[in-house]
């Protein structure tokens, strides 16, 4: 508590930016939808490099 003093000014804070906010600063929604469609097509075609992203085919005990 302050006695006989000025109340310090509150520091201005920047609003929290989400991942979505940062994406929207760099791309339009149409561009993001196009990128998403391309990536989904790759995933659906099985075109991922399994050497980089191997699937664990072992059954859990």
């Amino acid at each position: 508590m302050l006695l006989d003093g000025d109340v310090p000014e509150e520091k201005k804070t920047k609003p929290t930016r989400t991942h979505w906010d940062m994406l929207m600063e760099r791309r339009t929604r149409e561009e993001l939808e196009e990128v998403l469609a391309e990536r989904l097509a790759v995933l659906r075609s099985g075109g991922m490099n399994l050497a980089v992203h191997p699937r664990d085919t072992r059954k859990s005990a």
Side-chain angles (χ1 to χ4, degrees), residues 17 19-28 31-32:
R17 288 179 17 197
H19 184 68
W20 179 254
D21 294 332
M22 289 183 260
L23 276 174
M24 294 305 289
E25 288 175 6
R26 294 189 305 269
R27 297 182 184 261
T28 65
E31 289 172 325
L32 291 172

Side-chain angles (χ1 to χ4, degrees), residues 17-47:
R17 288 179 17 197
T18 64
H19 184 68
W20 179 254
D21 294 332
M22 289 183 260
L23 276 174
M24 294 305 289
E25 288 175 6
R26 294 189 305 269
R27 297 182 184 261
T28 65
R29 188 173 190 104
E30 292 78 22
E31 289 172 325
L32 291 172
E33 288 174 359
E34 185 177 329
V35 170
L36 176 61
E38 290 170 3
R39 300 310 300 158
L40 286 173
V42 169
L43 288 172
R44 290 177 179 144
S45 71

